[in-house]
């Protein structure tokens, strides 16, 4: 196996694939990246047995072949090579070494056989459709903050992607919840997604996918089966196992009869919450909303640190209400709203509150109150 490749191309591809490689693993080959050389392409593959990333880059191939080498070490070496250098890569099969040469620098890395490298991407995918990277990023960005990190409720450790009906129109909907807050966003159902099984995409896969589509304008090909999901973004393919569990019936926690409506300037509200929560204890982070007609008073009382209040003007015409929320959760949700205003639909101090953007009917958020 022998090839020559430009350092920048090599670094970019390694940056995409090595992010799924665990720093510590009990299975030695999982610390490695698979290099497969054929015709005029160098293909990289890395996996942690839950996710797999493959990327192909153009190279000057002199002899095809395949081998695996330590992923993070290779990435660190290439990162430190001079910009614009040509990297000569060749395999010494007798010594079981892969050598890299660039300028006057030369490295020899230990290898493991390519045939021992696991392949989680094999198997048929039943459903295939396309999304723009922008649409997919929107589904992720507006929901991932609400993914649960509690391992005991593993079925909440991801985004639930499924088809749904909204105003008699078929939609592709993403939902995430941790039991304290819920985020839901949808878009028109892409062609080919009809009848798609509802799938829970794991948190790590969501973060990896978000990184890969950052700044991309390409169409993303999505393929789904009951056990796996695959995303093709340009020259990169990410395959992941799905969470094997049943996502709860989230529709039951979305309040339907909340009749007290509060409308605020989103920027003003976020700034006020941020200021008063400075004094809140890290453990509690509770902020109290005292809502009266056309007036909202935000307050925090921390026995150890003091107290803070701030008043802002609002649109509200129902009976007065006092309700508490986690300040961090309020800021997370308000940060997702694109418009200038935020609407809160409330019922009483012990019931869930619905938050949405008056200018965007495709996203909604639900927040459980706290006792303050």
């Amino acid at each position: 196996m022998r090839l020559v490749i430009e350092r920048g191309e090599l670094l970019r591809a390694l940056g995409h694939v090595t992010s799924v490689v665990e720093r510590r693993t009990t299975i030695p080959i999982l610390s490695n990246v698979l290099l497969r050389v054929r015709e005029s392409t160098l293909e990289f593959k890395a996996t942690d047995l839950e996710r797999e990333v493959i990327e192909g880059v153009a190279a000057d191939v002199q002899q095809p072949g395949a081998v695996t080498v330590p992923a993070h070490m290779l990435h660190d070496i290439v990162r430190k090579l001079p910009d614009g250098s040509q990297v000569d890569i060749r395999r010494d099969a007798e010594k079981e070494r892969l050598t890299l040469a660039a300028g006057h620098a030369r490295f020899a890395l230990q290898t493991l056989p390519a045939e021992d490298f696991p392949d989680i991407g094999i198997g048929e995918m039943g459903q295939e459709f396309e999304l723009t990277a922008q649409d997919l990023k929107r589904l992720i960005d507006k929901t991932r903050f609400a993914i649960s990190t509690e391992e005991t409720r593993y079925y909440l450790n991801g985004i639930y992607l499924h088809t749904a009906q909204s105003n008699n129109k078929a939609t592709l909907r993403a939902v995430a919840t941790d039991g304290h807050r819920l985020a839901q966003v949808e878009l028109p159902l892409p062609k080919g997604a009809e009848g798609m099984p509802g799938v829970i995409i794991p948190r790590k896969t969501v973060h990896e996918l978000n990184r890969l589509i950052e700044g991309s304008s390409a169409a993303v090909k999505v393929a789904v089966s009951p056990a796996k999901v695959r995303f093709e973004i340009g020259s990169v393919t990410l395959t992941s196992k799905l969470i094997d569990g049943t996502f709860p019936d989230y529709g039951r926690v979305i309040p339907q009869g909340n009749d007290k409506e509060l409308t605020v300037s989103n920027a003003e509200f976020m700034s006020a919450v941020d200021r008063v929560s400075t004094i809140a204890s890290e453990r509690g982070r509770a902020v109290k909303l005292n809502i009266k007609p056309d007036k909202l008073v935000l307050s925090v009382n921390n026995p150890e640190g003091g107290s803070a209040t701030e008043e802002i003007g609002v649109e509200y015409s129902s009976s007065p209400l006092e309700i508490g929320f986690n300040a961090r959760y309020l800021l997370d949700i308000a940060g997702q709203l694109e418009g200038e205003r935020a609407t809160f639909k409330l019922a009483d101090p012990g019931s869930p509150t619905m938050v949405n953007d008056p200018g965007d009917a495709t996203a909604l958020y639900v927040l459980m109150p706290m006792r303050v």
Side-chain angles (χ1 to χ4, degrees), residues 8 12 21 68 75 85 115 128 140 149 162 164 182 220 232 272 280 297 303:
R12 184 179 61 81
V21 180
T68 82
H75 187 236
S85 56
E115 48 271 22
E128 294 189 7
I140 292 171
T149 54
H162 59 297
L182 177 144
V220 180
E232 288 181 37
V297 178

Side-chain angles (χ1 to χ4, degrees), residues 142-318:
K142 289 193 174 294
T143 53
R144 69 183 176 135
F145 71 90
I147 295 174
S148 174
T149 54
E150 203 179 310
E151 297 301 331
T152 51
R153 302 167 80 189
Y154 65 94
Y155 47 84
L156 298 182
N157 294 163
I159 291 177
Y160 181 44
L161 192 67
H162 59 297
T163 58
Q165 286 287 325
S166 183
N167 298 324
N168 296 322
K169 288 182 181 169
T171 61
L172 181 66
R173 183 180 289 173
V175 178
T177 182
D178 59 6
H180 304 289
R181 58 218 167 134
L182 177 144
Q184 173 187 304
V185 64
E186 58 193 10
L187 48 84
L189 191 67
K191 190 179 177 185
E194 301 86 358
M196 171 188 125
V199 295
I200 309 172
I201 302 171
R203 183 175 64 247
K204 279 186 176 180
T205 304
V206 168
H207 293 321
E208 187 62 35
L209 180 59
N210 199 48
R211 208 176 60 81
L212 291 172
I213 59 178
E214 188 74 53
S216 172
S217 56
V220 180
K221 291 181 181 172
V222 185
V224 181
S225 76
K228 288 179 200 163
V229 63
R230 180 183 298 144
F231 300 92
E232 288 181 37
I233 309 120
S235 59
V236 187
T237 302
L238 167 65
T239 306
S240 170
K241 291 181 180 175
L242 297 165
I243 291 175
D244 182 14
T246 304
F247 201 79
D249 180 7
Y250 63 89
R252 290 189 307 162
V253 302
I254 297 175
Q256 304 298 329
N258 288 12
D259 55 353
K260 296 180 172 71
E261 191 167 300
L262 165 72
T263 303
V264 298
S265 158
N266 197 36
E268 192 181 357
F269 177 73
M270 284 181 75
S271 298
V273 171
D274 194 29
R275 276 191 290 271
V276 298
S277 66
T278 309
I279 215 158
S281 67
E282 272 306 311
R283 197 177 64 233
R285 303 273 305 172
V287 57
K288 181 161 76 174
L289 279 61
N290 189 331
I291 312 164
K292 294 177 179 171
D294 299 333
K295 186 170 82 170
L296 167 63
V297 178
L298 297 128
S299 60
V300 169
N301 193 11
N302 179 0
E304 295 164 13
S307 61
T309 63
E310 183 163 345
E311 182 181 312
I312 59 174
V314 297
E315 292 172 27
Y316 182 77
S317 56
S318 300

Side-chain angles (χ1 to χ4, degrees), residues 180 283-289 299 301 322-326 348-351 368-372:
H180 304 289
R283 197 177 64 233
R285 303 273 305 172
V287 57
K288 181 161 76 174
L289 279 61
S299 60
N301 193 11
E322 274 194 1
I323 189 168
F325 293 109
N326 180 305
D348 57 64
S351 299
M368 294 299 293
M370 287 177 78
R371 259 190 273 181
V372 286

